[in-house]
């Protein structure tokens, strides 16, 4: 099986996406094939190439500082799985 | 005195501050929701600042302008090219679980803050980002509450982060640095810099090292500093704690510590289970900023005179002391008031004395500010003029100032109503003088025997007889003449 | 029962021959007749559609100007937020999400008189090429119900392919409009990046996502794109470039048009004799219409897959961080807020989404960012240049949209990379941000296959012109009837 450089357990923690042992193993072997393609990229000389984050050559897209209507409070919280009074409610934060 | 290596006297503190300042825009950073403090929870929110699926940010032009102006005021270099990045981490007060911030291309770099001592604290950078919502904890603390309640009104409020170099060396300097930053921000009107409302927040990075060493010691980040005083106290406490560690031969741990205002101590905040890996990358929902020279120079011309320049001018043109100039310029609105009084009265020194003395006193007593007081600069100036031209005595003026400042009355009206105008009629004053000399033969004798003090007593007696209305200069002249 | 095209419906309404309500009823009946076998919709909204149709009829009766899509039934992928109508992105994590706002394109469609009849099935968060990654159901191909409709806009492709509605909206990040359009025998357009607002479209990969029409014919795509395109102050990446009246640019011949044939792509397709022959035939048809065929090269296209599978998952990993159970959508409770996040995300996302979140998080993580993400962005620059150079030699590019006709359900679902390779011919255009479309080009094994046409940025009009001439000359879309009707009691 091709070598996969990903520390899946660590990355899953960063992504807050716990994986079962079975999932982690399956992903790992699937990534193996993908990294065959990705490694070809590593062989390319791009030292003097500018990275493209955006394909459209736009800059300074800014809005004027004008207040627009907010959502109604009811609409803002209507999708919340739990609320208390006007607040979004969720389990406590353990630091 | 011999010195022991590692003893407190041999260490110096190295402090860097990260100051977050909420910008005073009408709307939020990336959406049109109103930017305001104190609204009912979750009423200043929309799909964008709630991070709802499909919503997109559009940057507020005013926030960019304000940050650049703050940078200009602090002598920063404004970037020709800047961009927004995403800082990825999960936290319930962050609607998207990433914060739009700036990573490797902040809007400004460099610049400095000058402390009263003349020491310059260099700035690393100022960048623009969005604020988070607020967690409201049921119960006394985060850890003890059974659940968390979240209000996202503050989420998306424009925030600038001002990062200093680690060049501050004491708690006092840290407080001075904050005071100067606060003054500059309020001068240019980009923030209301109210620490108690959270519009100015501060984290401190503190380390100690042997005096004169070049390497930095292990740094501790202190969070939860809610007032200038707590910044100072927390730094003092932390420096002492670190020194004690060194004395005891303990290792200082790199960590984040929380300041507890009640106990006056810092405590270790359990390091998050994950090493920080914010996975910054350019936000693909936003495009870069290239502000251009024309726009930047226009903003530069719009900057007001800054506190440091004002202080210099007050000392140079008005002959005020550095200290007085510092007090008068700490708030722009106060300085504007003072300057209006100085101009209208033509007497900057008297204007300064009044502003720092009796005006301040009556306002404090009434728990008012210059902004909320009804008295205007022209009225204070008119009062100064009444004293200067001898219409009333300085003492009488002190009785008038309260009505002027608190009730907004015209000084001349108050003087007339209370009959406070001085008598400069030679005949009337002479009558009071003669009456006093007659009634105080002992004092006359003492004075003639060389007791200078007796003269002042006699002046006082004349003023008493005239119920304060006799022109005191005239009284002195006549007394001297009579006692000649 | 065959639905007319959108422009035919609009013209019939203009002539007073049919009402918007009747057109809507026809569409709803066609959906009802085929849905059991097709499974194209996550939600059909007949009441809302008929109410809207009545309003349109009333407006027409009052003498109001007819919008570009007046009375035309339209389906939208369930990735578009629709105010008051559940929007799931094909994911369990948004199963009960009812947006309090509509996507800009949805509002624009409705402003032009379109009648939205329902929300179509899709691969979860638009990640997939077969529609099998939907958390809810697998949509079938109207030409062969054992086969997939393609993805991720599979439901939109299937419902148009089955002639239930003339127009559906899809989104395309690496091929999610073009591949299903090819599979279902419809026209599918991925506009220039920035041409269409992304506001209100559940984000997958922000620097690549574009919404576009999927239609029976080219004219409808031209009209639908005209309706939805243009600057949106709510989207910083939407371009402030005028939107032409595309219908005026439709052509019937290709005289004076230089059509670029990509040599690297021809090499790739050559081993498959049937596919190769189909595309050869298509290029000859273009030449027969007066086009000049020229060879062009996209030397970096072979890096497309790797580049795309670093950039898109990286952006997705960040875009999908918001699904944590705190403010909307699924919540799986835990003893503290972070375990709630973990449990919710573990339960709410399907395997393909998880795979990409892991991959993308990795590509952005400390120590790998430069080696993967930044490098991919640099290769992206090279691919963009490839297109610039190609378009210096030609007006449009013609190339395969797909490497094969539709495949059976389950055939590739255990092999993600085989699935990723389905986008081999469509990814380079997405990375370069140029407009591209798939237009029906015939059948292989009795299943539809599309020809991909590509134009320089903001030259959709030129692309439509070529597509229209080709479509009118070949009429592949009308050559056969979708199998979904065969043996179905409701078929006419
Ligand atoms: Zn908002």
């Amino acid at each position: 099986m091709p070598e996969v450089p990903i520390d899946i357990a660590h990355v899953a923690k960063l992504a807050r996406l716990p994986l079962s042992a079975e999932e982690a193993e399956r992903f790992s072997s699937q990534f193996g094939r993908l990294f065959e393609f990705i490694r070809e990229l590593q062989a390319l000389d791009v030292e003097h190439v500018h990275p493209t984050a955006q394909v459209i050559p736009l800059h300074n897209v800014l809005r004027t500082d004008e207040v627009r209507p907010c959502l109604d409070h009811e609409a803002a919280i209507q999708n919340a799985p739990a609320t208390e009074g006007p607040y979004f409610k969720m389990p406590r934060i353990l630091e | 005195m011999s010195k022991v290596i590692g003893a407190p006297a041999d260490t110096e503190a190295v402090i860097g501050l990260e100051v977050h300042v909420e910008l005073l825009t009408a709307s939020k950073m990336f959406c049109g929701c109103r930017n305001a403090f104190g609204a009912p929870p979750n009423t200043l929110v929309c799909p964008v600042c709630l991070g709802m699926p499909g919503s997109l940010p559009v940057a507020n032009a005013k926030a960019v302008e304000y940050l650049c102006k703050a940078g200009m005021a602090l002598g920063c270099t404004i970037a020709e090219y800047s961009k927004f990045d995403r800082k990825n981490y999960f936290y319930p007060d962050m609607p998207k679980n990433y914060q739009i911030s700036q990573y490797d291309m902040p809007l400004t770099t460099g610049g400095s803050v000058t402390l009263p001592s003349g020491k310059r604290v260099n700035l690393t950078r100022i960048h623009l980002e969005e604020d988070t919502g607020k967690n409201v904890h049921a119960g006394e603390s985060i850890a003890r509450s059974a659940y968390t309640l979240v209000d996202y009104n503050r989420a998306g409020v424009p925030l600038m982060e001002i990062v200093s170099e680690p060049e501050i060396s004491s708690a006092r300097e840290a407080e001075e640095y904050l005071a100067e930053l606060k003054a500059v921000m309020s001068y240019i009107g980009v923030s209301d810099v109210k620490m108690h409302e959270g519009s100015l927040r501060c984290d401190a990075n503190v380390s100690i090292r042997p005096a004169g060493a070049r390497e930095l010691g292990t740094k501790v980040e202190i969070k939860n500093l809610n007032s200038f005083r707590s910044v100072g106290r927390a730094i003092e406490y932390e420096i002492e704690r670190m020194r004690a560690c060194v004395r005891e031969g303990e290792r200082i741990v790199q960590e984040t510590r929380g300041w507890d205002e009640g106990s006056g101590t810092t405590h270790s905040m359990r390091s998050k289970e994950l090493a920080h890996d914010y996975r910054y990358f350019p936000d693909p929902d936003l495009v870069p900023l290239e502000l251009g020279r024309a726009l930047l120079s226009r903003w530069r011309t719009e900057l007001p005179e800054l506190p440091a320049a004002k202080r210099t001018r007050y000392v140079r043109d008005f002959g005020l002391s550095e200290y007085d100039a510092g007090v008068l310029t700490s708030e722009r609105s106060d300085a504007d008031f003072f300057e209006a009084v100085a101009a209208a009265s033509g007497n900057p020194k008297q204007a300064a004395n009044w502003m720092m003395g009796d005006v301040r006193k009556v306002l404090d007593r009434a728990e008012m500010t210059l902004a909320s007081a009804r008295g205007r600069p022209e009225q204070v100036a008119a009062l100064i003029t009444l004293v200067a031209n001898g219409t009333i005595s300085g003492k009488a003026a002190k009785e008038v100032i309260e009505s002027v400042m608190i009730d907004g009355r015209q000084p001349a009206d108050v003087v007339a109503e209370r009959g406070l105008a001085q008598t400069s009629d030679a005949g009337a004053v002479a009558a009071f003088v003669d009456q006093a000399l007659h009634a105080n033969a002992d004092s006359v004798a003492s004075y003639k025997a060389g007791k200078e003090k007796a003269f002042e007593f006699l002046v006082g007696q004349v003023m008493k007889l005239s119920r304060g209305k006799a022109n005191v200069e005239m009284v002195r002249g006549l007394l001297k003449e009579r006692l000649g | 029962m065959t639905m007319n095209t959108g422009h035919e419906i609009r013209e019939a309404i203009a002539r007073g021959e049919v009402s918007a309500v009747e057109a809507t009823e026809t569409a709803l009946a066609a959906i009802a007749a085929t849905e059991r076998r097709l499974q194209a919709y996550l939600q059909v909204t007949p009441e809302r559609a008929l109410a809207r149709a009545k309003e349109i009829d009333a407006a027409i009766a009052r003498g109001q100007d007819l919008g570009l899509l007046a009375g035309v039934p339209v389906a939208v992928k369930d990735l578009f937020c629709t105010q008051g109508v559940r929007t799931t992105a094909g994911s369990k994590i948004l199963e009960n999400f009812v947006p309090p706002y509509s996507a800009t394109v949805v509002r624009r469609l409705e402003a032009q008189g379109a009648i939205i009849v329902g929300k179509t099935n899709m691969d979860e968060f638009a990640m997939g090429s077969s529609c099998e990654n939907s958390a809810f159901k697998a949509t079938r191909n109207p030409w062969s119900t054992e086969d997939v409709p393609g993805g991720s806009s599979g439901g939109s492709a299937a419902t148009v392919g089955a002639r239930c509605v003339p127009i559906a909206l899809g989104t395309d990040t690496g091929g999610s409009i073009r591949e299903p359009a090819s599979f279902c025998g419809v026209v599918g357009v991925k506009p220039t990046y920035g041409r269409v607002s992304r506001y209100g479209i559940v984000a997958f990969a922000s620097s690549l996502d574009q919404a576009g029409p999927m239609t029976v014919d080219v004219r409808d795509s031209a009209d639908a794109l005209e309706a939805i395109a243009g600057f949106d102050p709510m989207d910083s990446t939407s371009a402030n470039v005028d939107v032409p009246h595309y219908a005026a640019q439709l052509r019937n011949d290709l005289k004076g048009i230089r059509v670029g044939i990509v040599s690297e792509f021809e090499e790739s397709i050559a081993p498959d004799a049937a596919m190769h022959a189909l595309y050869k035939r298509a290029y000859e048809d273009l030449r027969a219409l007066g086009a000049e065929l020229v060879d062009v090269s996209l030397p970096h296209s072979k890096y497309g897959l790797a580049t795309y599978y670093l950039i898109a998952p990286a952006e997705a990993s960040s875009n999908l961080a918001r699904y944590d159970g705190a403010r909307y959508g699924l919540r799986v409770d835990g003893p503290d807020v972070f375990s709630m996040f973990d449990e919710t995300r573990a339960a709410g996302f399907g395997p393909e989404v998880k795979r990409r979140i892991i991959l993308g998080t990795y590509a952005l993580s400390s120590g790998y960012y430069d080696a993967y993400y930044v490098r991919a962005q640099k290769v992206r620059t090279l691919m963009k240049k490839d297109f610039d150079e190609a378009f210096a030699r030609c007006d449009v590019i013609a190339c395969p949209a797909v490497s094969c006709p539709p495949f059976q359900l389950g055939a590739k679902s255990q092999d993600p990379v085989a699935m990723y390779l389905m986008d081999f011919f469509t990814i380079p255009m997405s990375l370069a941000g140029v407009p591209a479309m798939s237009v029906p080009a015939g059948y292989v094994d009795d299943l539809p296959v599309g020809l991909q046409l590509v134009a320089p940025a903001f030259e959709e009009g030129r692309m439509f012109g070529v597509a229209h001439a080709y479509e009118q000359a070949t009429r592949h879309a009308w050559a056969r009837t979708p199998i979904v009707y065969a043996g179905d009691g409701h078929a006419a």
Side-chain angles (χ1 to χ4, degrees), chain A residues 30 44 50 52 79 89 92, chain C residues 98 331 337 355 375 381:
Chain A
Q30 289 163 341
L44 211 56
H50 194 72
T52 294
N79 280 288
K89 183 182 181 181
R92 64 180 175 161
Chain C
V98 179
R331 171 181 294 188
V337 78
R355 204 153 29 229
R375 176 165 282 264
T381 305

Side-chain angles (χ1 to χ4, degrees), chain B residues 372-452:
Chain B
S372 62
R374 298 181 64 185
R376 299 289 80 214
E378 304 70 45
Q379 290 154 264
V380 180
L383 186 62
I384 291 172
T385 305
L386 287 177
V387 177
N389 66 17
T391 308
I392 58 169
S393 67
K395 198 171 162 223
K398 285 179 192 289
E399 290 177 38
V400 176
I401 190 67
E402 183 154 5
S403 297
V404 169
M405 288 310 297
I406 308 301
D407 306 322
R409 310 230 14 228
Q410 292 301 332
D413 294 349
V414 182
V415 165
E417 194 177 288
R418 301 197 194 162
L420 293 171
Q422 298 190 120
T423 302
S424 299
D425 172 51
V429 174
F432 287 130
V433 168
D434 291 340
Q435 200 181 337
L437 289 174
H438 183 74
N440 295 287
D442 293 355
S443 300
V444 174
S446 305
Y447 177 75
K448 288 191 168 161
K451 292 204 174 163
E452 288 286 331

Side-chain angles (χ1 to χ4, degrees), chain C residues 300-340:
Chain C
H300 295 93
S301 55
K302 63 178 169 185
Y303 301 110
L305 189 85
T307 305
Y308 178 84
Y309 278 95
L310 290 171
I311 291 173
E315 292 180 6
S317 73
S318 176
N319 283 335
L320 271 59
R322 69 191 64 194
Y323 306 107
D324 61 7
R327 291 158 297 277
Y328 44 76
L330 178 76
R331 171 181 294 188
V332 179
D333 254 312
D336 70 281
V337 78
F338 292 116
S339 35
M340 176 195 91

Side-chain angles (χ1 to χ4, degrees), chain C residues 125 127 203-204 316-323 345 349 353 357:
Chain C
F125 285 104
M127 297 177 189
F204 161 18
S317 73
S318 176
N319 283 335
L320 271 59
R322 69 191 64 194
Y323 306 107
R345 292 165 63 77
F349 291 134
V353 174
I357 290 176

Side-chain angles (χ1 to χ4, degrees), chain B residues 5-27:
Chain B
I5 298 297
D10 262 333
T11 59
E12 63 184 17
V14 179
I15 302 156
L17 295 182
E18 285 171 21
V19 177
H20 286 92
V21 177
E22 283 182 354
L23 297 172
L24 203 55
T25 51
S27 63

